[in-house]
Amino acid sequence: MQVRPVEGAAGVARRPEAFIWRGRLYVVRDVLAQWRERRAWWREALDADGGGGPVVPGGSLAAAASEQQVWRVEASPGWSFAPGVYDLAHDEGAQGEQWQLVRVAD
């Protein structure tokens, strides 16, 4: 799933205004909730070296301690469509700023 949010005003935590999913532009109608949660560090530790080699001791400590901002939003691909509920995760890590669609609850 490719998600590319269009962000609002700059700040500590930028509120997503829209995102592209499955080739469609979804406009955020409302922000229902916002929280911080730990990232899936165990996946990052395995992916860091290609997903099969040995994990360097202590190499995943920074990933384990990092968190991401999650926005639960109500969005729809147009005004004539019923809105759905989507969770978008925002992460500013060593690889730069990244957004990801983590949950969909239509």
Side-chain angles (χ1 to χ4, degrees):
M1 291 180 226
Q2 181 99 19
V3 178
R4 187 180 59 204
V6 178
E7 299 171 15
V12 174
R14 299 182 213 178
R15 178 184 184 267
E17 294 180 353
F19 60 94
I20 296 173
W21 180 47
R22 294 184 177 173
R24 297 187 97 172
L25 176 67
Y26 285 74
V27 177
V28 173
R29 305 290 177 213
D30 194 16
V31 174
L32 304 176
Q34 174 186 354
W35 66 90
R36 298 192 68 78
E37 66 183 33
R38 291 204 182 269
R39 296 187 338 217
W41 60 268
W42 56 92
R43 290 184 191 149
E44 294 174 14
L46 293 174
D47 291 342
D49 62 347
V55 176
V56 177
S60 62
L61 289 178
S66 63
E67 295 181 336
Q68 62 187 3
Q69 185 83 25
V70 180
W71 298 81
R72 177 161 291 159
V73 299
E74 190 176 66
S76 66
W79 288 107
S80 61
F81 292 93
V85 176
Y86 305 89
D87 288 355
L88 301 171
H90 177 250
D91 181 25
E92 290 187 38
Q95 299 156 344
E97 190 171 348
Q98 297 181 357
W99 285 87
Q100 182 179 7
L101 176 64
V102 292
R103 284 179 278 288
V104 177
D106 285 320

